[in-house]
Amino acid sequence: MENVNSLKSCWERSPKPSLKVSNYFKVYEEIFGHLVNTKCTFLETGVLDGGSLFMWREWLGPDARIIGIDLNPQAEKWNDHGFEIFIGDQGDPQFWEETFSKIGSFDAFLDDGGHQSFQQIITVQEAIKATKNNCVIAVEDTHSNLYKDFSKHGNYSFLEYSKDATDILLGSSANTRIFKERYPKFKNKDSLNLFKKTYKISFYSGIVAYHIDFNIDESPKLVRNTEDTSAKQKDFRYEGRSSAKVKWPYLFKNKIINVKGGDTIFGMIKKNIYKKRVRPFLRDIYLKYFKK
């Protein structure tokens, strides 16, 4: 039997129309469930029919501040039902700058608006810029990125943007501060700065969620649980095959890719250790931990 307090039950009881994909309810509960019965601010784009506004209010509780954003001025009628409504173009950064200055801090943002990649990208970028506290920024209906009639973005869809953003998260991690000689030079400092408080990016079927956390440690370090290295075993991570054939997960074509390995930093150090072509601290690391 369906839980009467579940999000889906709240959706079914909404007095106004709402169209949802069935697997979304579980995702919503996962990414927004921590806000139930709290004094939170919840934003949603694409609210004209009003059904989702009532769903969120019932599920989140009476202390929740529910804000709707739409391009159609007729959506302003939901102001009369206790919601806050802002009218504007989500593809316009200036609209977001002005609107966020009026809204202030928020705890969750769900984009169910125009579904075109440029709209989704601008919305996420401006929401991340505007947030002042921990929050979740989610975009739904990402299957629209594959629509033939929405394909003018070419290789630059919102999904590709989000996948590339995961590289930016890696670029802010400990791995880039340790053994940094292994990486190419990072040039996109603006994106590194934009996502510096993004804790993770979650991918679901039809939804991508950006999790913002202002408590992120900006200076992670490589640590050991003990200084005792007497039991250290031979490192086999670079032994074995040097490549593998992989059936790549393309959606619209079948292709086998031969994925090759590379010359690891330890291999390079080993080759050059006595040629004075490595930095002293790398030589020390190699001699202490990796010499066989």
Side-chain angles (χ1 to χ4, degrees):
M1 184 175 179
E2 186 79 42
N3 181 349
V4 295
N5 295 319
S6 71
L7 181 59
K8 187 175 181 181
S9 294
C10 295
W11 171 76
E12 290 171 343
R13 289 193 295 269
S14 177
K16 301 297 179 181
S18 174
L19 182 66
K20 291 293 181 184
V21 179
S22 59
N23 70 292
Y24 286 5
F25 298 105
K26 182 178 180 180
V27 179
Y28 291 153
E29 290 179 340
E30 178 181 327
I31 62 178
F32 299 135
H34 64 289
L35 298 174
V36 172
N37 294 323
T38 67
K39 192 174 183 179
C40 64
T41 298
F42 188 98
L43 283 65
E44 182 180 24
T45 60
V47 298
L48 181 60
D49 290 333
S52 60
L53 294 173
F54 289 90
M55 173 190 73
W56 295 121
R57 183 160 66 186
E58 180 179 354
W59 185 61
L60 292 172
D63 293 329
R65 178 189 179 197
I66 310 297
I67 299 174
I69 297 152
D70 208 287
L71 183 59
N72 192 327
Q74 291 185 18
E76 289 185 326
K77 62 187 176 184
W78 303 121
N79 281 311
D80 298 335
H81 294 263
F83 304 106
E84 296 178 48
I85 304 298
F86 293 85
I87 304 299
D89 185 349
Q90 74 172 115
D92 181 359
Q94 185 174 351
F95 163 73
W96 284 121
E97 183 177 351
E98 295 171 355
T99 301
F100 282 129
S101 68
K102 297 173 183 176
I103 291 173
S105 63
F106 55 92
D107 304 286
F109 189 119
L110 178 64
D111 177 17
D112 186 20
H115 304 324
Q116 297 198 66
S117 284
F118 79 94
Q119 296 169 320
Q120 294 168 335
I121 292 169
I122 290 298
T123 298
V124 166
Q125 285 185 343
E126 296 305 314
I128 291 176
K129 289 179 186 178
T131 186
K132 300 177 177 64
N133 52 274
N134 296 354
C135 70
V136 179
I137 300 166
V139 175
E140 69 175 56
D141 296 337
T142 55
H143 49 264
S144 65
N145 288 195
L146 305 180
Y147 288 170
K148 291 185 289 185
D149 53 322
F150 279 8
S151 63
K152 288 185 178 180
H153 51 63
N155 295 325
Y156 301 103
S157 69
F158 169 72
L159 281 173
E160 293 303 319
Y161 175 90
S162 296
K163 293 170 191 175
D164 284 343
T166 64
D167 290 345
I168 299 294
L169 267 59
L170 288 173
S172 301
S173 73
N175 289 332
T176 63
R177 296 177 172 85
I178 303 163
F179 309 133
K180 62 182 180 180
E181 283 76 7
R182 302 182 74 171
Y183 297 90
K185 184 178 180 180
F186 297 154
K187 297 182 179 180
N188 192 347
K189 294 183 179 179
D190 289 341
S191 288
L192 284 167
N193 185 61
L194 176 66
F195 293 107
K196 67 181 180 181
K197 295 299 182 182
T198 302
Y199 169 63
K200 64 179 177 178
I201 302 174
S202 303
F203 290 80
Y204 306 88
S205 176
I207 295 176
V208 175
Y210 289 70
H211 303 257
I212 312 302
D213 186 347
F214 279 74
N215 298 316
I216 285 180
D217 182 358
E218 294 187 5
S219 300
K221 301 174 179 64
L222 184 66
V223 295
R224 288 186 180 276
N225 68 331
T226 177
E227 293 300 320
D228 181 10
T229 60
S230 60
K232 184 170 180 61
Q233 301 298 311
K234 180 179 178 180
D235 188 348
F236 273 75
R237 80 180 81 179
Y238 305 116
E239 304 295 334
R241 298 184 56 166
S242 60
S243 67
K245 293 186 182 298
V246 178
K247 188 170 185 179
W248 207 256
Y250 289 124
L251 185 59
F252 301 112
K253 60 183 175 181
N254 292 312
K255 192 169 185 179
I256 302 295
I257 304 293
N258 186 34
V259 182
K260 298 181 180 180
D263 200 2
T264 69
I265 190 169
F266 304 112
M268 290 186 287
I269 293 172
K270 190 173 181 180
K271 289 178 182 178
N272 295 287
I273 197 73
Y274 299 112
K275 297 180 181 179
K276 297 182 180 180
R277 292 196 294 198
V278 296
R279 296 188 179 185
F281 84 94
L282 289 175
R283 178 182 182 278
D284 293 342
I285 290 173
Y286 170 77
L287 292 176
K288 185 174 181 181
Y289 297 114
F290 299 99
K291 186 176 182 181
K292 299 178 181 180

